[in-house]
Amino acid sequence: MYTIGQVSEMFDLPISTLRYYDKEGFFPHLVRKGNIRYFSNHEIEALHHSSSA
């Protein structure tokens, strides 16, 4: 599991962009604990596919 900050660094994306994607429903299975979003390998894979398109 990765935090939004870690994913932001991995993909060189602003955290605000990842929050926008979440708000728009691009990550329907995103795990939340309190106010923290945790990205699984499923979300990471989806981002890999979208960044290579």
Side-chain angles (χ1 to χ4, degrees), residues 12-33:
D12 195 30
L13 286 171
I15 289 174
S16 60
T17 299
L18 294 168
R19 286 183 180 139
Y20 171 78
Y21 290 165
D22 181 29
K23 182 180 174 185
E24 292 299 312
F26 295 151
F27 307 123
H29 305 290
L30 193 66
V31 174
R32 287 184 180 77
K33 292 180 184 172

Side-chain angles (χ1 to χ4, degrees), residues 7-53:
V7 175
S8 171
E9 288 180 17
M10 275 192 253
F11 289 93
D12 195 30
L13 286 171
I15 289 174
S16 60
T17 299
L18 294 168
R19 286 183 180 139
Y20 171 78
Y21 290 165
D22 181 29
K23 182 180 174 185
E24 292 299 312
F26 295 151
F27 307 123
H29 305 290
L30 193 66
V31 174
R32 287 184 180 77
K33 292 180 184 172
N35 286 338
I36 301 174
R37 295 168 176 90
Y38 289 99
F39 292 75
S40 70
N41 289 331
H42 180 77
E43 285 84 26
I44 299 300
E45 187 67 27
L47 284 167
H48 273 294
H49 285 291
S50 67
S51 67
S52 65

